[in-house]
Amino acid sequence: MNYNIAVIKGDGVGPEVVGEGIKVLLKIATKYGHKFNFNNVLAGGEAIDATGECLPQKTIDACLSSDSIILGAVGGSKWDNEPAHNRPESALLGLREALGLFANIRPAKMYKALENACPIKPEIIGNGFDIVVMRELTGDVYFGKKYRDDNGVAHDDMNYSVKEVTRIAHRAFKMAELRGKKVTSVDKANVLETSRLWRETVENVSKEYKNITLNHMYVDNAAMQLIRNPSQFDVILTGNLFGDILSDEASMITGSIGMLPSASMGEGKIGMYEPIHGSAPDIAGTGKVNPIATILSIAMMLKYSFDLTAESLDIENAVLTVLNDGARTSDIASSSEKYLTTSEMGDIICDAILN
Ligand code: IPM
Ligand code: MG
């Protein structure tokens, strides 16, 4: 089959990790006889430098007409003085909105081989953990009206509609059906009206999923429970802002943010796939960045956008194999361990995808 992929390499370590992801994808193409067409487009800091705009219309159009999008990372202190609407991060928000990508899927799981990198005591972590954060991505305080009034007060309007909560709740329950059959909905219903609507709506949706256990948790408690007893969670369903924070926290429990992929989906098949780590300008160009988060994001793309389940699994197994064999980039190596460069890790994962 033929697939058209828009590629946004982005800033900082973005080009390096995307380069390794594409290497792996080309290996899959050869093995399974697929054709992936890549269309490189600009967004974020690189787009500001080239065109003055963080998200050129050309990029939006190219993304809209593709089958999926791979994104490295955007941002860096170089663009700190850009006005808010033209910061590199705005490109990300603009793409999510323009493509209607309301469901952000962020799996965080611990690999047995990386147990030592986990900052939580073994007696707490027990048999490890395997969580998916299902974060709403196009609503909440992120997209509410933002302004400063004449009295020197800044406003960010937090709002959620029944429609927005309903569609993300369905995604969480459907995800739980394929996994541990448990949804924890995280809100702040003791304080926020948006959260009370969130809770009621999630309750209503849950009636359609009798085989799934639903519980509700306040976000402050959830932040604590993630450290206290992470294995109690299966799917965490939450809003945009809480999901932003909790997904970073969940990622750190795995030991390295350099391992974690993400998918952003809308109503259809098109999705945007990106590592959850940022542009890490401090290590850009040093060959130190871990490409696994991007490579696993590409595995998610094969599964969710292209229904290529075997190919996706092939990549996940290759990653597992090299980790079990002791392959490490600097972020997941112990201080005495020898570590691989970004491209050596990409190569070794390609080699583990057997012909
Ligand atoms: C993320 C990032 C973005 C967000 C930023 C860069 C706008 O932190 O994808 O988690 O807050 O959504
Ligand atoms: Mg974030």
Side-chain angles (χ1 to χ4, degrees):
M1 278 279 284
N2 230 312
Y3 302 93
N4 295 319
I5 303 171
V7 179
I8 300 170
K9 292 184 183 158
D11 309 318
V13 297
E16 290 162 79
V17 290
V18 169
E20 297 314 306
I22 287 182
K23 214 188 236 175
V24 171
L25 205 45
L26 290 174
K27 174 82 193 209
I28 291 288
T30 317
K31 176 168 174 182
Y32 292 89
H34 302 303
K35 188 158 184 343
F36 300 110
N37 305 312
F38 302 108
N39 181 10
N40 286 306
V41 286
L42 301 177
E46 54 160 9
I48 298 173
D49 289 350
T51 70
E53 282 178 284
C54 71
L55 183 60
Q57 187 60 41
K58 202 175 142 202
T59 298
I60 300 181
D61 293 342
C63 291
L64 281 169
S65 62
S66 68
D67 297 317
S68 78
I69 301 137
I70 299 173
L71 185 140
V74 293
S77 55
K78 182 177 172 196
W79 302 282
D80 272 352
N81 294 327
E82 286 293 324
H85 72 275
N86 205 43
R87 289 179 60 93
E89 294 83 354
S90 300
L92 210 49
L93 301 180
L95 277 170
R96 291 171 183 169
E97 192 177 28
L99 295 158
L101 306 175
F102 65 84
N104 185 217
I105 308 167
R106 297 187 163 183
K109 74 170 176 188
M110 195 176 79
Y111 288 87
K112 205 82 193 123
L114 297 182
E115 244 167 12
N116 289 340
C118 172
I120 293 182
K121 289 193 195 128
E123 57 266 38
I124 293 176
I125 211 81
N127 288 327
F129 71 97
D130 184 345
I131 298 170
V132 170
V133 178
M134 183 65 76
R135 168 189 177 195
E136 199 289 330
L137 203 60
T138 52
D140 203 350
V141 69
Y142 271 66
F143 288 91
K145 192 169 172 208
K146 300 172 190 303
Y147 63 100
R148 293 196 191 187
D149 66 23
D150 297 339
N151 303 317
V153 182
H155 302 256
D156 293 279
D157 177 30
M158 177 181 253
N159 63 72
Y160 261 124
S161 67
V162 172
K163 183 178 163 226
E164 286 172 319
V165 181
T166 302
R167 65 185 183 182
I168 191 71
H170 278 292
R171 291 297 167 94
F173 285 106
K174 292 206 160 82
M175 178 65 76
E177 278 180 331
L178 304 172
R179 299 173 37 95
K181 315 248 177 313
K182 182 174 176 192
V183 170
T184 303
S185 175
V186 173
D187 62 35
K188 187 72 185 171
N190 49 350
V191 177
L192 301 174
E193 199 53 37
T194 42
S195 284
R196 288 191 272 271
L197 178 127
W198 178 281
R199 203 174 265 226
E200 271 165 45
T201 309
V202 172
E203 274 296 330
N204 280 335
V205 172
S206 76
K207 292 179 188 140
E208 294 177 43
Y209 301 88
K210 296 266 187 273
N211 54 337
I212 306 293
T213 310
L214 167 69
N215 69 324
H216 301 277
M217 206 178 264
Y218 296 138
V219 62
D220 48 350
N221 185 28
M224 179 184 76
Q225 295 296 336
L226 265 172
I227 306 290
R228 198 184 73 87
N229 177 16
S231 37
Q232 71 182 286
F233 296 103
D234 177 27
V235 174
I236 294 180
L237 161 63
T238 191
N240 206 344
L241 182 62
F242 300 155
D244 179 44
I245 300 164
L246 292 180
S247 61
D248 267 28
E249 188 185 350
S251 76
M252 203 50 229
I253 307 173
T254 68
S256 174
I257 200 165
M259 295 286 301
L260 298 196
S262 79
S264 303
M265 312 287 301
E267 297 292 359
K269 279 282 176 192
I270 180 168
M272 184 158 83
Y273 298 87
E274 54 178 313
I276 91 156
H277 63 73
S279 59
D282 53 322
I283 58 163
T286 64
K288 273 195 168 167
V289 64
N290 187 346
I292 292 181
T294 305
I295 291 168
L296 290 175
S297 301
I298 283 171
M300 291 181 89
M301 174 181 86
L302 295 175
K303 181 158 75 182
Y304 293 128
S305 282
F306 305 159
D307 291 318
L308 299 176
T309 318
E311 290 82 337
S312 173
L313 210 59
D314 210 350
I315 295 181
E316 286 175 4
N317 284 336
V319 168
L320 203 60
T321 303
V322 306
L323 290 175
N324 287 340
D325 288 350
R328 301 285 183 270
T329 39
S330 68
D331 57 319
I332 50 176
S334 62
S335 51
S336 58
E337 259 171 339
K338 184 180 165 308
Y339 58 81
L340 302 174
T341 65
T342 308
S343 73
E344 285 168 344
M345 182 59 104
D347 287 340
I348 200 170
I349 292 171
C350 283
D351 291 345
I353 299 171
L354 302 175
N355 291 317

